[in-house]
Each structure stands twice: as C-alpha cells, then as structure tokens.
C-alpha cells in the first residue's frame, strides 16, 4: 500500500529570533490521517512550528510544504487560499473580542476567499452559514451561546469555541496549540474528548501541542464512542497508536520522534521529564 | 561601526512599508467600509468635545494676551487678525493633532496591541483576512478624513472664543473683528491649515497602528506600545508642522 500523501512537511527549517532559536534545522512530516503530539518546555519552539507551518512566520532557511505546495515564496494573498484548508486553535484562543460567538465561528466561512468561491460555485447546494455555525457549536456542546461575546465565557468554553471555529470549515489539517493549557483536569479531558470526537468523525491530520503527557496518552489509546458520547479505551484492533506519534522539542530542536512505546523507552532525561509529568 | 543605526533604520523601513501597504489597500478590495465609519465615529465624533474646548481656550487666550501687546501700539482693533492667522495656520492644526494623537494614537496602539498579544492578529491571518486591510487601512482613511474636519471646527470655535473677548472685554465692534479676521487670511493660509491636519492624520493613524502591530510581551507590552505611540506621534507632528510651515513660507 502506498503511503498517504504528506499534508505538512518541514525540510530543514530554521528560524531564529535574534540569538534564540525558534526552530533549529527541523524536519517534520505529517501524512493524512496521522496525529502528532508535540511536547516541549515553554519557549521550545512548539508554537513557532505551528506558525511556520501556517506561513504566519517565515523561516530563515528550509522549506515548508503544505498540501504538497511550497509556501516559501507565496504572497500573503496566496497563503490565504492554502490556509483555508487548515483549522487552527490558538493558545490564547485568538477569538475576536468584538464579535459574538456565532460571528467568530462564522468568520472563516465569510472571509476565506476560496471557501466563498466554492460556496458561489455550488450555488444553492451549499448549506447556509448559520446552519454550519450552529452545527460546529453543537459539536463542542455550546449550541446555546451564539449571541454571547467571548468575555462572557469561561476559559474552557472559549477554548471550545476556538475548536468550533477551527473545525467549521472542514479542514484537511488541524493544528491545536496547547488546547488544555491552564484548564482544570476535568475541563481538559472534555477538550481532549472533543479532539477525539473530531478524529472519529473526520479523521483529519492533526498536530497537537501540549504540556500534559496525559493528553497524548489519551489521543494514542482512546477513541470517542459516538453512541455513548464518551471516551473509551480503543481495542487492540482499532488502536490509534500506529497513527499517533510523539515529538519532543527543546530549544528549537526536534529532539525525539516516535510512538508512545518508544517515548516510554527513551533514556534522555529531558524527554523522560514529560513522562514524569504524566504520572504525577 | 554603524551597527547602532541598523535597528532604527530597519524600524523606519518597516514603518514605510506598512504605510505603503496601508495606502495601496485603499484601492484594493475587500473594503471594510463598516470599520471606516466605526473609526470615524470613534476618532471624529469622540474627539469633538475636547477639540472644541481646546479651540475655544486657545482663541480666548490668544485674544486676551495679544490685546495687551497690541494696546501699546493702540492697535487692539487688529486682534481678530492675530487670532485668525495664528489659529488657522498653526495652532488649530497643531493642538488638534496633539490632542487626537494623545487620544487616538494611544487608543489605536492599545487596541491593536491587545489583539496582537491575544493572537487575534494571527487568527485574522489564519482565517483569511489581511490585518493591514482590516485594521490599519480603515483607521488611516477615517483619521485622514476627520482630522481636517476637526481642525476646521477647532479653528472656528477658536475664532468665536477670540470674538467673545474682543467684543465684551475689548469693546471691538462685531463686524470689525470678523472682517479683519476674514480678510487677513489668504489661500496660502487655508491650504496650509488643511494640508497639515491631513499629514498629521497619516502620522497619528500609522504610528498608532505600527506600534500596535509590533507589540510583544503581554499586557505590559501593550502599555509600552501605547506610550511610545503617543510620544512618537507627537514628535513627528512637531517635525512636520515646522517643515510644512517652512515650505509654505517659501511659497508665500
């Protein structure tokens, strides 16, 4: 069986902020249907990697391929069209304060040129924006918050709106930047359940940045059961472990890449630190 | 050896590039006209009371102080001329711009800066919107449109302030004050009085946006961006008022 096409590929990418390395000769590849869990201390370059992948930051050297296209030489306008196929959840949520929740979730549908062009080409067959927004918010179980503004919601709820905004376009690649950071364990698990639910339904290629080992462990070993609406341990046959890989970053270097078993067997004390976090 | 110049030169270059793309966006779709009107309301209508006040006060002060000096020559009847020339040429545009810079360069920098540190600017780019088109250009258009208007209003209110002093303190006849105030003005003065606020508007909007977009370092960074924006805008306003004044003297 031929391997699935690469959704995102970084070739020897470096980016320096002054003397500090954001990314230091990073090679990274993600294929359709795969999940990468990215660990690392604060300032290790995790967020930088996501932003470089999306063309929000331009690398000093190296090449970035998104859906097979080299985004290095693209203008901002051309990048918009590529980014339309990517959903991203920002660490700080990145919700627009001045817009309601419904307007926030509708934003990509109403502002992405490609999506607007597609909608126009499909004529009346495309479902109305309101319906898709409602569906995305129902997906994150916030269907009743349409008219609220972000400041009225709790941190966990804002994160969920962020997820709704990321998935509303039906993207081919999802980037989650610290989806559970700063949340209590129960809310954090709810968020991970949503990510599993998304994967269960659409099987989108995903990069998740996190500090919690548990997040990665859940992604690798659990699945969402649509009938019960809960997370459950994936049985051996349907284990996600094969498609979920773990990466560890340190000072812009991609220090480790491998399966959960390989991560657990790793000897590097820095890498092991993230395992200890999980057991604590 | 010239390394210390590298940073400021690069910053200036970034500023010019931002200004250039903001200006070219004026002619490129999508146009966010809602945002333009929103900003006109915030910058124009919002600044109106304070601008009227400063206009009035400067007219009053000018008439009162100049009257004393003019009395020594028995020429207090000419007070209208002085108020008119000083306000329309120099003080109206300058004071209005300084006030609006204090109010709106800071406002723009803090608003955009907060958006920057909460990743809303990145979110915008990720979701298909050019932040320069959506945030900078509407503020530029709005300020460039309302600042000349505000200046005209400030000039006029200042003349009224001067008139009240002339009429009720100096006993100058109404018609004498207004005629002298009107007749002294040349097209050159009016042009100067309208070109200045237009240039200042560009400075106010662009400096606010520039420092807002460069904000780093959380809420502390927003505070710093805000302060820097006001100081830098004020400095450039001073530089350009001297420059434009000098150019018009040359043509006069």
């Amino acid at each position: 069986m031929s391997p699935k096409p690469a959704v995102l590929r970084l070739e020897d990418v470096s980016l320096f902020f002054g003397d500090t390395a954001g990314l230091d000769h990073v090679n990274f590849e993600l294929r359709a249907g795969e999940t990468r869990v990215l660990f690392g201390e604060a300032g290790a370059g995790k967020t930088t990697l996501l932003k470089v992948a999306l063309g929000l930051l331009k690398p000093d050297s190296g090449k970035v391929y998104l859906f097979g296209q080299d985004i290095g030489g693209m203008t901002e306008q051309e990048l918009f069209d590529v980014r339309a196929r990517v959903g991203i959840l920002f660490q700080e949520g990145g919700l627009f304060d001045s817009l309601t929740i419904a307007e926030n979730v509708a934003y990509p549908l109403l502002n992405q040129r490609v999506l607007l062009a597609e909608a126009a080409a499909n004529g009346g067959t495309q479902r109305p924006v309101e319906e898709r927004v409602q569906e995305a918010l129902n997906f994150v179980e916030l269907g009743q918050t349409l008219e609220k503004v972000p400041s009225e919601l709790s941190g966990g709820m804002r994160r969920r709106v962020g997820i709704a905004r990321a998935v509303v376009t039906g993207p081919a690649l999802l980037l989650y930047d610290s989806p559970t950071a700063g949340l209590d364990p129960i809310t954090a698990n709810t968020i991970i359940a949503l990510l599993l639910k998304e994967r269960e339904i659409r099987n989108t290629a995903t990069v998740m940045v996190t500090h919690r080992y548990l997040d990665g462990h859940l992604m690798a070993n659990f699945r969402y059961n649509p009938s019960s609406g809960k997370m459950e341990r994936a049985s051996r046959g349907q284990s996600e472990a094969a498609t979920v890989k773990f990466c560890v970053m340190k000072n812009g270097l991609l220090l480790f890449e491998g399966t959960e078993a390989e991560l657990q067997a790793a000897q590097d004390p820095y890498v092991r630190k993230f395992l200890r976090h999980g057991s604590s | 050896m010239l390394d210390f110049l590298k940073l400021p030169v690069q910053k200036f270059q970034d500023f010019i590039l931002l200004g250039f793309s903001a200006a070219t966006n004026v002619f490129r779709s999508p146009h966010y006209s809602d945002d333009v009107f929103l900003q006109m309301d915030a910058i124009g209508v919002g600044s109106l009371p304070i601008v009227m006040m400063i206009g009035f006060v400067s007219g009053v002060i000018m008439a009162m102080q100049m009257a004393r000096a003019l009395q020594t020559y028995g020429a207090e009847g000419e007070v209208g001329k002085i108020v008119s020339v000083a306000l329309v040429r120099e003080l109206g545009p300058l004071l209005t711009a300084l006030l609006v810079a204090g109010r709106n360069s800071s406002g723009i920098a803090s608003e955009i800066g907060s958006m920057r540190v909460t990743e809303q600017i990145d979110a915008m780019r990720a979701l298909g919107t050019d932040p320069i088109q959506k945030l900078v250009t509407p503020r530029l258009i709005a300020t460039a449109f309302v600042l000349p208007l505000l200046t005209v209003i400030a000039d006029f209110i200042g003349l009224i302030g001067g008139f009240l002093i002339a009429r009720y303190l100096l006993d100058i006849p109404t018609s004498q004050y207004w005629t002298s105030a009107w007749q002294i003005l040349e097209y050159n003065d009016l042009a100067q009085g309208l070109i200045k606020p237009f240039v200042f508007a560009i400075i106010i909007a662009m400096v606010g946006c520039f420092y807002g977009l460069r904000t780093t370092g959380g809420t502390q960074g927003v505070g710093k961006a805000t302060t820097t924006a006001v100081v830098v805008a004020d400095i450039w306003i001073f530089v350009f008022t001297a420059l434009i004044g000098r150019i018009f003297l040359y043509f006069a």
Side-chain angles (χ1 to χ4, degrees):
Chain A
M1 201 174 82
S2 64
K4 289 181 175 166
V7 174
L8 169 66
R9 198 163 86 230
L10 271 65
E11 276 180 10
D12 201 28
V13 170
S14 293
L15 174 60
F16 287 83
F17 303 108
D19 292 333
T20 28
L23 296 176
D24 195 350
H25 299 283
V26 168
N27 288 292
F28 181 89
E29 191 175 65
L30 181 77
R31 294 178 180 281
E34 286 183 346
T35 301
R36 280 284 184 292
V37 180
L38 209 57
F39 293 121
E41 287 178 340
K46 311 182 296 292
T47 300
T48 309
L49 190 142
L50 295 191
K51 289 190 175 168
V52 164
L54 209 51
L56 294 176
L57 291 172
K58 287 232 184 290
D60 296 334
S61 63
K63 284 194 182 300
V64 181
Y65 296 92
L66 202 52
F67 309 113
Q69 290 173 276
D70 180 3
I71 64 169
M74 284 189 183
T75 64
E76 186 80 4
Q77 298 294 327
E78 290 167 332
L79 277 169
F80 285 148
D81 299 348
V82 187
R83 287 182 196 141
R85 296 174 63 197
V86 185
I88 181 163
L89 169 70
F90 286 95
Q91 194 168 4
E92 304 280 346
L95 297 181
F96 303 120
D97 299 328
S98 52
L99 303 182
T100 64
I101 298 305
E103 287 167 339
N104 260 294
V105 177
Y107 198 91
L109 295 175
L110 298 175
N111 286 281
Q112 302 273 29
R113 271 193 319 193
V114 184
L115 300 178
L116 288 173
E118 275 172 20
N122 290 343
T125 58
Q126 190 96 354
R127 287 182 305 139
V129 168
E130 298 80 29
E131 204 179 305
R132 295 173 73 183
V133 169
Q134 185 69 55
E135 187 188 75
L137 281 168
N138 288 344
F139 174 80
V140 297
E141 290 151 28
L142 285 174
Q144 71 293 353
T145 61
L146 288 168
E147 293 311 315
K148 293 195 157 116
V149 289
S151 57
E152 291 177 274
L153 302 186
S154 70
M157 286 163 104
R158 281 206 290 272
R159 216 61 69 82
R160 274 148 68 189
V161 174
I163 294 173
R165 189 173 68 177
V167 301
V168 70
T169 56
L173 168 64
L174 274 165
L175 308 172
Y176 299 116
D177 193 355
S178 309
T180 61
L183 299 179
D184 61 89
I186 296 169
T187 315
N189 286 353
T190 320
I191 299 283
I192 295 297
L194 284 176
L195 307 194
L196 289 174
K197 186 172 162 186
E198 200 285 332
R199 191 174 66 185
E200 189 70 29
I201 296 169
R202 301 201 45 248
N203 199 24
T204 313
T206 304
V207 181
M208 178 175 75
V209 163
T210 184
H211 293 275
R212 289 204 322 165
Y213 174 67
L214 183 62
D215 294 347
H217 179 74
L218 290 173
M219 287 301 266
N221 298 291
F222 281 67
R223 64 183 283 269
Y224 178 82
N225 186 332
S227 50
S228 71
K230 290 202 167 69
M231 279 195 284
E232 61 177 33
R233 187 168 275 280
S235 59
R236 202 168 282 276
Q238 54 192 173
S239 170
E240 304 291 346
T243 59
V244 178
K245 277 192 182 165
F246 293 74
C247 298
V248 178
M249 290 190 77
K250 181 185 185 184
N251 298 336
L253 285 165
L254 198 59
L255 211 61
F256 169 89
E257 188 168 11
T259 62
E260 189 177 22
E262 287 166 346
L263 180 72
Q264 279 163 346
Q267 294 304 312
D268 188 309
Y270 180 84
V271 174
R272 290 204 67 79
K273 209 158 70 168
F274 294 97
L275 287 170
R276 277 205 301 280
H277 276 294
S279 58
S280 64
Chain B
M1 194 174 75
L2 292 172
D3 267 4
F4 69 97
L5 279 177
K6 211 163 100 184
L7 217 63
V9 167
Q10 194 170 24
K11 214 167 166 180
F12 187 69
Q13 178 186 307
D14 289 347
F15 180 77
I16 297 296
L17 286 175
L18 178 71
F20 185 72
S21 50
T24 48
N25 279 347
V26 173
F27 308 102
R28 210 165 58 194
S29 62
H31 299 286
Y32 298 101
S33 48
D34 289 0
D35 292 281
V36 174
F37 288 116
L38 214 67
Q39 291 304 322
M40 279 184 184
D41 184 49
I43 299 167
V45 182
S47 307
L48 199 55
I50 183 92
V51 161
M52 284 167 71
M53 201 179 77
I54 199 76
F56 184 79
V57 169
S58 54
V60 165
I61 292 176
M62 188 81 63
M64 230 157 33
Q65 300 302 332
M66 283 302 149
R68 245 180 68 196
L70 289 170
Q71 264 164 359
T72 50
Y73 306 102
E76 66 263 40
E78 307 291 306
V79 76
K81 287 185 181 172
I82 291 195
V83 173
S84 169
V85 168
L87 270 183
V88 171
R89 264 202 207 163
E90 200 67 63
L91 287 181
L94 181 66
L95 292 176
T96 308
L98 289 179
L99 277 179
V100 174
R103 205 177 159 274
N104 295 103
S105 277
S106 58
I108 291 170
S110 67
E111 193 182 352
I112 296 182
S114 309
M115 291 182 79
R116 168 99 215 167
V117 297
T118 53
E119 293 183 310
Q120 291 180 52
I121 304 279
D122 282 331
M124 238 175 219
R125 292 175 64 202
L127 301 176
T129 311
D130 179 2
I132 298 176
Q133 182 108 32
K134 172 86 177 160
L135 298 173
V136 180
T137 304
R139 281 164 175 79
L140 179 66
I141 297 174
T143 318
F145 188 77
V146 297
L147 196 63
L149 292 181
L150 284 172
T151 305
V152 170
I153 293 171
D155 290 349
F156 183 63
I157 301 279
L159 280 169
I160 291 178
F163 164 70
L164 292 178
I165 295 297
R167 179 75 192 79
Y168 296 105
L169 231 60
L170 308 173
D171 281 330
I172 297 165
T174 309
S175 63
Q176 187 185 348
Y177 175 85
W178 288 110
T179 313
S180 64
W182 179 249
Q183 277 176 349
I184 186 77
L185 290 178
E186 293 170 9
Y187 283 115
N188 182 314
D189 303 321
L190 294 180
Q192 181 172 171
L194 286 174
I195 285 173
K196 273 184 184 170
F198 184 75
V199 174
F200 296 161
I202 296 171
I203 295 172
I204 290 170
M206 291 315 302
V207 168
C209 291
F210 179 69
Y211 284 99
L213 284 173
R214 286 169 72 95
T215 306
T216 49
T219 41
Q220 207 180 6
V222 176
K224 211 172 138 194
T226 309
T227 327
T228 319
V230 178
V231 173
V232 171
D234 281 353
I235 291 173
W236 281 112
I237 286 170
F238 286 130
V239 169
F240 271 86
T241 198
L243 205 67
I244 298 170
R246 185 73 195 82
I247 293 171
F248 272 89
L249 276 182
Y250 183 75
F251 286 114

